[in-house]
Amino acid sequence: MSTEPDQVETTGHVHGYTSEKSSHLKRLRRIEGQVRGLQRMVEEDKYCIDILTQVSAATKALQSFSLELLDEHLSHCVVEAAQKGGAEAEEKVREASDAIARLVRS
Amino acid sequence: MSTEPDQVETTGHVHGYTSEKSSHLKRLRRIEGQVRGLQRMVEEDKYCIDILTQVSAATKALQSFSLELLDEHLSHCVVEAAQKGGAEAEEKVREASDAIARLVRS
Amino acid sequence: MSTEPDQVETTGHVHGYTSEKSSHLKRLRRIEGQVRGLQRMVEEDKYCIDILTQVSAATKALQSFSLELLDEHLSHCVVEAAQKGGAEAEEKVREASDAIARLVRS
Amino acid sequence: MSTEPDQVETTGHVHGYTSEKSSHLKRLRRIEGQVRGLQRMVEEDKYCIDILTQVSAATKALQSFSLELLDEHLSHCVVEAAQKGGAEAEEKVREASDAIARLVRS
């Protein structure tokens, strides 16, 4: 629409990851499949070590997902807040640092 | 069935975690729910930091699951192999150490 | 000195962590002490589990140090680069994301 | 000495890692060197990202050390306790599982 060309710009609620939405959903559906595969392995009494290998794979997949999300967040939200400067920049950096700490410790 | 009382007992292929099967399945179904919740968050354009918090929670849940599985594996398979001694004990320890390394590094 | 008021500003080589230098050095010396304590434990044939507990403590201390350093880096270098915008902002974000990935995976 | 031949052998308090003592000490001294290198980097105002890369290297080295120590502990102490069976086996497995959880979470 000519009067409201881009909903995203008028509301400003677009997040860094929005453009990557379908790739994120694809990744998360694959992880969901891995978790369902784990349930099948437990049901079929698979060997514990093989289950553990699959848990490590799912954990790594979740980690990669979060690193990608964080990269997009830094590239968009944090960079934009930094350009505004002041309290908003500080707040976004603090928030990102807390998220990174949770990732590193999980 | 009276002629084939319990496949598990006759074959001896029961693993450490078998007795905990239903609790494991419950945990994994909860983790699957968390991963589906993540998909919903991405679809609804939720704020990246909130998504990251949920990813950390799912990662921690997978980690706790693997630590429990590993504890059962040590208590059953590794202890039994140790009692037999020799190559089998060595093999089981090496296998467990490799699984631990994968967990620590994931 | 009146002719060279602030070396830092003229060279521009001040990093985010410079103001925290003495606190960082104190932390690192404490970690060095923990690693020397580990050597003493090995020399005195201390119990492996007790050594492992100390290794975990040293690892956590290194992790906290890196999270603090990263927070200062985001607050200073990345925010400044973001304000300049363009290629420099992108480069700094990419570099920070790579460092975060190394931390999460280590 | 004939009157006190070797405390280690008479009491049986030799740990899994004793035979690897000199290799462990060498590793730990290298890690100590890495931590001292970090102090030098902070003193010389090196770039934060380069410091972070070195912190990741030191963290990984500590992790490898702990994985090796744990492997020796499983191979010796846990296997021996398993052969004795009963409460001692259970106690050693529980203790090892707790140490693994600390490693995975650090």
Side-chain angles (χ1 to χ4, degrees):
Chain A
M1 273 165 259
S2 59
T3 50
E4 197 188 348
D6 188 348
Q7 200 211 339
V8 158
E9 285 189 8
T10 51
T11 64
H13 283 311
V14 66
H15 303 305
Y17 65 84
T18 305
S19 55
E20 308 294 345
K21 210 160 149 169
S22 74
S23 119
H24 290 333
L25 286 173
K26 210 182 286 178
R27 257 171 188 272
L28 286 171
R29 278 192 285 262
R30 208 178 312 130
I31 295 171
E32 189 193 330
Q34 287 178 299
V35 177
R36 267 208 299 265
L38 282 166
Q39 294 169 38
R40 225 162 21 243
M41 291 180 91
V42 168
E43 264 157 12
E44 294 169 1
D45 296 318
K46 292 292 186 224
Y47 185 44
C48 345
I49 294 292
D50 296 331
I51 301 183
L52 285 170
T53 301
Q54 286 314 103
V55 179
S56 291
T59 307
K60 267 182 203 283
L62 272 176
Q63 242 173 27
S64 297
F65 172 67
S66 60
L67 289 171
E68 203 177 284
L69 213 61
L70 189 68
D71 177 63
E72 291 165 19
H73 180 65
L74 293 176
S75 306
H76 295 85
C77 307
V78 175
V79 163
E80 278 163 36
Q83 285 162 354
K84 289 177 193 153
E88 192 166 338
E90 271 175 45
E91 163 65 12
K92 286 290 174 204
V93 166
R94 198 194 47 69
E95 205 183 57
S97 288
D98 288 350
I100 295 165
R102 279 191 298 272
L103 282 183
V104 168
R105 287 175 178 140
S106 74
Chain B
M1 269 167 262
S2 57
T3 53
E4 198 190 347
D6 187 348
Q7 202 209 338
V8 160
E9 285 188 9
T10 51
T11 64
H13 282 313
V14 67
H15 303 304
Y17 66 83
T18 305
S19 56
E20 307 294 344
K21 211 162 151 170
S22 73
S23 117
H24 289 334
L25 287 172
K26 211 180 286 178
R27 255 170 189 272
L28 287 170
R29 277 192 286 259
R30 209 177 312 131
I31 295 170
E32 188 194 330
Q34 288 178 299
V35 177
R36 266 208 299 265
L38 283 166
Q39 293 169 38
R40 228 164 15 243
M41 291 180 91
V42 168
E43 265 157 12
E44 296 170 359
D45 296 318
K46 292 292 186 224
Y47 185 45
C48 347
I49 294 292
D50 295 332
I51 302 184
L52 285 169
T53 302
Q54 285 314 102
V55 179
S56 292
T59 307
K60 267 181 203 282
L62 272 176
Q63 242 174 27
S64 296
F65 172 67
S66 61
L67 289 170
E68 202 178 286
L69 214 60
L70 189 67
D71 176 64
E72 290 165 21
H73 180 64
L74 293 176
S75 306
H76 294 86
C77 307
V78 175
V79 163
E80 277 163 36
Q83 285 163 355
K84 288 177 194 154
E88 192 168 337
E90 270 174 46
E91 162 66 12
K92 286 289 174 204
V93 165
R94 197 194 46 69
E95 204 183 57
S97 288
D98 289 350
I100 295 165
R102 278 191 300 272
L103 282 183
V104 168
R105 286 172 180 144
S106 72
Chain C
M1 271 167 260
S2 57
T3 52
E4 199 189 347
D6 189 346
Q7 201 211 337
V8 158
E9 285 190 7
T10 51
T11 65
H13 281 314
V14 66
H15 302 305
Y17 65 85
T18 304
S19 56
E20 308 295 344
K21 210 162 151 169
S22 73
S23 117
H24 289 334
L25 287 172
K26 210 181 285 177
R27 256 171 189 271
L28 287 170
R29 277 192 286 262
R30 209 177 311 131
I31 295 170
E32 188 193 331
Q34 287 178 300
V35 177
R36 265 209 300 268
L38 282 167
Q39 293 169 39
R40 226 163 16 243
M41 291 181 91
V42 168
E43 265 157 11
E44 294 171 0
D45 296 318
K46 293 291 186 225
Y47 185 45
C48 347
I49 294 291
D50 295 332
I51 301 182
L52 285 170
T53 302
Q54 287 312 103
V55 180
S56 292
T59 308
K60 267 181 203 283
L62 273 175
Q63 242 173 27
S64 296
F65 172 67
S66 61
L67 289 171
E68 203 178 284
L69 214 60
L70 188 69
D71 176 64
E72 292 166 18
H73 181 65
L74 293 176
S75 306
H76 295 87
C77 308
V78 176
V79 164
E80 278 163 35
Q83 286 163 354
K84 288 177 193 152
E88 192 167 338
E90 269 175 47
E91 162 67 11
K92 286 290 173 203
V93 165
R94 198 197 45 70
E95 205 184 57
S97 287
D98 289 350
I100 294 165
R102 279 192 298 273
L103 283 183
V104 168
R105 285 173 180 142
S106 73
Chain D
M1 271 167 261
S2 59
T3 52
E4 197 190 347
D6 187 348
Q7 202 208 337
V8 160
E9 286 189 8
T10 51
T11 64
H13 282 313
V14 66
H15 304 305
Y17 66 84
T18 305
S19 56
E20 308 295 345
K21 209 161 152 170
S22 72
S23 118
H24 290 333
L25 287 173
K26 209 179 287 175
R27 257 170 188 272
L28 286 171
R29 276 192 286 260
R30 209 178 310 131
I31 296 169
E32 189 193 329
Q34 288 177 299
V35 177
R36 265 208 299 267
L38 282 166
Q39 293 168 38
R40 228 166 13 246
M41 291 180 91
V42 169
E43 265 157 10
E44 295 170 359
D45 296 318
K46 294 289 187 227
Y47 185 44
C48 346
I49 294 292
D50 296 332
I51 301 184
L52 285 170
T53 302
Q54 287 312 104
V55 179
S56 291
T59 306
K60 267 182 202 284
L62 272 176
Q63 240 173 29
S64 297
F65 171 68
S66 61
L67 288 170
E68 202 178 285
L69 213 61
L70 189 68
D71 176 64
E72 292 166 18
H73 180 65
L74 292 176
S75 305
H76 295 87
C77 307
V78 175
V79 164
E80 278 163 36
Q83 285 162 354
K84 287 176 194 156
E88 192 166 338
E90 271 175 45
E91 162 67 11
K92 286 290 174 204
V93 166
R94 197 194 47 71
E95 205 182 56
S97 289
D98 289 350
I100 295 163
R102 277 192 299 272
L103 283 183
V104 169
R105 288 175 177 140
S106 73

